[in-house]
Amino acid sequence: MGEAEKEELEPRTKTLRQDIIEALKVQSMSLREISKAVGIPESEVLSHLGHIKKTIAKLGYVLEVSPAQCLSCGFIFKKRDRLKKPGKCPSCRSTFIEPQIFNLKKNK
């Protein structure tokens, strides 16, 4: 291993979920942006988000999810509870879907 590679392998001081929570406190992000920020696949982020929803409630936060939207016809996925991006628009069957945006807000 070269010196550059050794520097990249720094030990984690926080858990992945803590990293995701901190990233979402700073700014709203899509699933892909969260994935890039913490360095794990989107599928793993999905499983962590389910647990994070429960954890942050105890900390006085709520996970806000802006709904996905079809870029072809403008259909908004308002009633969707799943965190995963929809595959197709039910209205026009297009696959050009803008993903949900996740954000942490302090509970009032």
Side-chain angles (χ1 to χ4, degrees):
M1 236 188 245
E3 285 296 316
E5 289 179 42
K6 286 182 183 177
E7 289 177 21
E8 290 178 23
L9 299 174
E10 294 177 21
R12 248 185 209 284
T13 57
K14 294 189 244 177
T15 66
L16 282 172
R17 292 181 186 162
Q18 289 171 331
D19 286 342
I20 293 170
I21 290 169
E22 291 301 316
L24 289 174
K25 281 182 182 177
V26 175
Q27 69 180 15
S28 301
M29 303 172 106
S30 70
L31 196 59
R32 179 166 287 158
E33 292 168 336
I34 297 169
S35 170
K36 287 181 182 179
V38 296
I40 59 174
E42 290 180 40
S43 58
E44 282 187 42
V45 173
L46 278 172
S47 66
H48 287 297
L49 282 176
H51 293 282
I52 287 171
K53 281 176 80 169
K54 296 174 186 174
T55 304
I56 61 171
K58 296 173 187 172
L59 302 173
Y61 286 90
V62 64
L63 180 66
E64 288 186 341
V65 183
S66 302
Q69 182 174 357
C70 177
L71 296 173
S72 295
C73 72
F75 180 83
I76 298 174
F77 293 81
K78 290 179 188 173
K79 295 183 181 180
R80 187 172 174 92
D81 291 329
R82 284 184 256 159
L83 299 174
K84 187 177 178 182
K85 179 183 146 192
K88 287 184 182 178
C89 174
S91 180
C92 71
R93 309 309 268 168
S94 172
T95 57
F96 296 112
I97 310 283
E98 186 167 318
Q100 303 99 308
I101 302 296
F102 301 94
N103 189 23
L104 286 185
K105 290 283 183 176
K106 191 79 169 160
N107 230 357
K108 294 180 182 174

